[in-house]
Each structure stands twice: as structure tokens, then as C-alpha cells.
Amino acid sequence: LDAELSYVRNDVVNHYALSFNLLIPSETNNLHFTWHAKSKVEYKLGFQVHDPMAMAVPQANISLQGEVPRTLSVFRVELSCTGRLDSDVTILMQLNLTINSSKNITVLNFKRRKMCYKKLEPEVKSPTADKNSSKTIFDPVNAAPTTSTRVFYISVGVCCAVIFLVAIILAVLHLHSMKRIELDDSISDSSSSQGLSQPSTQTTQYLRADTPNNATPVTSKCYPTLRIEKNDLKSVTLMEAKAKVKDIAISRERITLKDVLQEGTFGRIFHGILIEEKDPSKEKQVFVKTVK
């Protein structure tokens, strides 16, 4: 997963991120976590493995109990398979954080999965077998005739040639059918070239600005919508696309991002402030969803 995943940000726990049970590649043996605290925070670290035969208890390069560093630091957790058997191992790393008093405890559970495989032991050859293998024994009874071997290789070569010819014929037929489909599509596109100027009554989609589920529905004001026809996005240029979204576009300078309400792996929902276009002194509360 090539993305940043924050579990705690500005003293707020991201339970949505903690709910992920991330799969670790079998070749990955170390996990790295970045952490720091602004004030004194004591921690206690623990691990659970559901299949100890397949994986040993994870080891960390920090003590299992202590104080969270005040500067940005990285600690490592080592996940090593035993190689005894094949198993899909579930790992739970629990981090208990205590702030100021023993009553104020925050528990963070990090879930991971890793596939462990059994190690293949190399075969041990006996000395007698090595001595026997060094001598070549010719058995005239079990020796295959030279003529049958040649016939076998010739038949295999003929079969491969036939398969190769069939593959070429199928590829030519496939290209011919694809050209016919493209020709039919070009004919249909030319017959429906008025789709950009005339609205379609069969398939019309509407694009609008979504708000989070917990937002208060707005019923007193109508927002501009953008209608996209069925074939509009098939061969549209960047300038045409900008022209289409011009009616609902909002300048970035008018939006100020505030608190993060929800955070996922590839997107966030912010609480923000939108400045009125006609009257810059007026502001309104909005929700902003970003995607990366």
C-alpha cells in the first residue's frame, strides 16, 4: 500500500483506519511506525499471534513499556515466520496509551495478516548413491530404440506447428472482428453526433457536489447541476471538459480547509469555509471531500 495511513492525528483517533486488517507480503519481515507526543504519554506494547507454530511472537526494537518520545521517531516490529508449515497468520499489535493519570487510557489495536510458507529441506544424497551415479550402466533390454525417439520428436514438432498456425488464424480473425466493431462504432457516433447539443431522453446522468452522511440536508437553495450525455466523454478534450464544469466550478481561493472530519486511505473530508463570490465579507460552512 503506497499511501500514508495516520492512526492518530491532532489527538484524535482514526477508528476507520484502525478497522483495516492489512495484508503483509510474505517477503516483508519488518513494519515501521512513526510516532511522537507533545506532552508526557506513557505506553505499553503487546502482541498476539493466532498460530504460534507458523510465526513466532513479534519483536520490537523498543521496550514493551515506557514513554512516547517527544520528537518524531520510528520504531520497528519484526514479523518472522518459523517455516514449519503453511498458514495465513493473523497478528494483533496492541498499544495502550496513558495520559496524565492511570484512568485516562487509550487502546489502539493494529491488525495485520501475513502468509507464512513451509521451508523446503534440501535432499541429502547418500554416499553409495553418488558412487553408483558416477558409473554409466548400459542396459540393452530397456534401451529405447533410436527410430521411436525420432518419431516422437517429429510428432511433437508437427503438433507445435499446427498449434502455432491455429493461433495465428485466431489472431487474424480477432483483429478483423475488432476493425469491424470500430467501423460500426464510428458509424453510430456519426449518426449521434448531435448528442452534445441536444439532450438525450434515454440515459442522462447528473453530477452534483456530495456532502457527508452526517451533514444537514439543504432544502432551501438549489445548487447548479451538470448534465452529461451518454457519449459526451468518449472523445472530449481538456478544454471541452473545463467548459462543461465551468457552471459548477468553485475557485480554490474562496475555500479555506479547517478540521478533518473523516479520513480514509485515499481521501479525506474536511470542514471548511466558503467565501461568497459577490460579497467577500460573507462566509458559509461547507464540507470538502478530497481524493488522492
Side-chain angles (χ1 to χ4, degrees), residues 232-247:
D232 279 3
L233 299 180
K234 200 163 187 179
S235 60
V236 66
T237 63
L238 180 61
M239 297 302 295
E240 292 174 349
K242 288 183 177 181
K244 285 181 178 295
V245 300
K246 183 178 180 181
D247 295 337

Side-chain angles (χ1 to χ4, degrees), residues 86-292:
D86 297 340
S87 177
D88 188 2
V89 184
T90 302
I91 308 107
L92 176 64
M93 185 180 82
Q94 188 176 83
L95 183 65
N96 296 339
L97 302 174
T98 305
I99 304 174
N100 298 331
S101 64
S102 59
K103 296 182 180 179
N104 190 358
I105 299 177
T106 301
V107 180
L108 304 178
N109 291 319
F110 305 92
K111 303 173 185 177
R112 297 291 186 272
R113 287 175 52 227
K114 182 178 180 180
M115 192 68 192
C116 291
Y117 298 99
K118 185 178 180 180
K119 292 182 179 179
L120 298 177
E121 297 180 357
E123 296 182 358
V124 180
K125 296 182 179 181
S126 60
T128 57
D130 294 337
K131 292 180 181 179
N132 294 333
S133 62
S134 61
K135 298 179 180 180
T136 304
I137 300 175
F138 179 73
D139 188 0
V141 178
N142 298 325
T146 306
T147 305
S148 61
T149 304
R150 290 179 180 177
V151 171
F152 172 75
Y153 286 131
I154 292 173
S155 61
V156 170
V158 171
C159 292
C160 292
V162 171
I163 294 174
F164 182 70
L165 290 175
V166 172
I168 291 178
I169 294 173
L170 291 177
V172 171
L173 293 176
H174 178 70
L175 291 176
H176 184 68
S177 62
M178 290 297 293
K179 289 182 179 179
R180 182 177 296 176
I181 292 174
E182 290 178 357
L183 182 61
D184 295 340
D185 289 342
S186 63
I187 294 174
S188 62
D189 290 343
S190 62
S191 62
S192 60
S193 60
Q194 298 178 355
L196 292 175
S197 58
Q198 298 179 358
S200 174
T201 58
Q202 295 181 355
T203 57
T204 303
Q205 301 174 351
Y206 294 93
L207 177 66
R208 62 182 179 83
D210 291 334
T211 56
N213 296 331
N214 57 357
T216 305
V218 180
T219 57
S220 61
K221 183 177 180 180
C222 295
Y223 287 92
T225 59
L226 174 65
R227 180 169 60 192
I228 301 177
E229 302 300 333
K230 180 178 180 181
N231 297 324
D232 279 3
L233 299 180
K234 200 163 187 179
S235 60
V236 66
T237 63
L238 180 61
M239 297 302 295
E240 292 174 349
K242 288 183 177 181
K244 285 181 178 295
V245 300
K246 183 178 180 181
D247 295 337
I248 64 171
I250 297 176
S251 177
R252 179 64 178 87
E253 289 76 11
R254 295 173 52 200
I255 301 175
T256 302
L257 299 181
K258 293 295 185 180
D259 300 331
V260 179
L261 302 180
Q262 292 185 8
E263 180 176 358
T265 305
F266 302 107
R268 297 176 184 173
I269 297 181
F270 292 85
H271 170 246
I273 296 176
L274 176 63
I275 301 175
E276 289 287 349
E277 185 176 9
K278 297 180 179 179
D279 189 358
S281 62
K282 293 184 179 181
E283 300 177 348
K284 64 170 62 176
Q285 306 292 327
V286 295
F287 296 99
V288 181
K289 182 176 182 180
T290 63
V291 177
K292 61 180 176 179

